[in-house]
Amino acid sequence: MLNLFQHPTIGTLAQMQPARDPIVYILASRPYGTLYIGVTSDLVRRLHLHRTRASPGFTSKYGVNRLVRFEQFGDMERAILREKQLKRWHRQWKINLIESENPDWHDLAPGLGFEPIAPRTGLDGS
């Protein structure tokens, strides 16, 4: 089990058990873009739903599908408490948390078997 404030590195993603341990995760539309915080006991399934826009809602509407942080817990009660805590945080605190372990805002989902998301380009194609 991970410490509440310890984020798994990309190398530890491959070591994660496919078990149903509760996970609090943060998605972003792009670096410094729209953020979404959620909790699940099946991160791979939930990421698939977000990335395919299978469920209408916030993440589909705003294109929030890049996994930039997650924390694994031993029980759902603690995971839900952490999710609620993070949702109350100021935006800058969330950004600082993401950048403490993922300063370049890499999408961590390829470490779980997902295809990388193509970088977004500006309206001018740059």
Side-chain angles (χ1 to χ4, degrees), residues 2 7-19 21 23-27 40-48 50-51 65-72 106-116:
L2 297 173
H7 178 270
T9 63
I10 293 173
T12 62
L13 293 177
Q15 299 171 8
M16 283 184 58
Q17 298 291 330
D21 285 338
I23 292 176
V24 175
Y25 62 98
I26 302 177
L27 302 178
T40 183
S41 61
D42 190 343
L43 183 59
V44 171
R45 180 180 166 281
R46 186 65 60 87
L47 281 175
H48 175 74
H50 288 303
R51 288 168 96 89
N65 57 11
R66 297 168 190 267
L67 179 65
V68 293
R69 182 175 176 83
F70 65 93
E71 299 173 5
Q72 192 171 5
H106 291 292
D107 182 13
L108 303 175
L112 297 171
F114 288 87
E115 292 292 322

Side-chain angles (χ1 to χ4, degrees), residues 60-102:
S60 293
K61 182 176 180 178
Y62 296 102
V64 183
N65 57 11
R66 297 168 190 267
L67 179 65
V68 293
R69 182 175 176 83
F70 65 93
E71 299 173 5
Q72 192 171 5
F73 293 83
D75 61 82
M76 187 57 82
E77 183 178 350
R78 289 186 334 140
I80 291 170
L81 289 172
R82 177 65 167 162
E83 177 199 29
K84 289 179 179 180
Q85 177 190 43
L86 292 177
K87 285 183 173 186
R88 288 190 306 264
W89 280 16
H90 297 283
R91 177 177 169 79
Q92 188 59 52
W93 297 357
K94 295 171 194 176
I95 290 170
N96 292 346
L97 180 65
I98 293 164
E99 291 184 338
S100 70
E101 295 290 332
N102 189 0

Side-chain angles (χ1 to χ4, degrees), residues 27-36 64 91 95 98 105 120:
L27 302 178
S29 59
R30 58 184 171 78
Y32 306 100
T34 304
L35 300 177
Y36 174 83
V64 183
R91 177 177 169 79
I95 290 170
I98 293 164
W105 293 69
R120 285 189 159 182

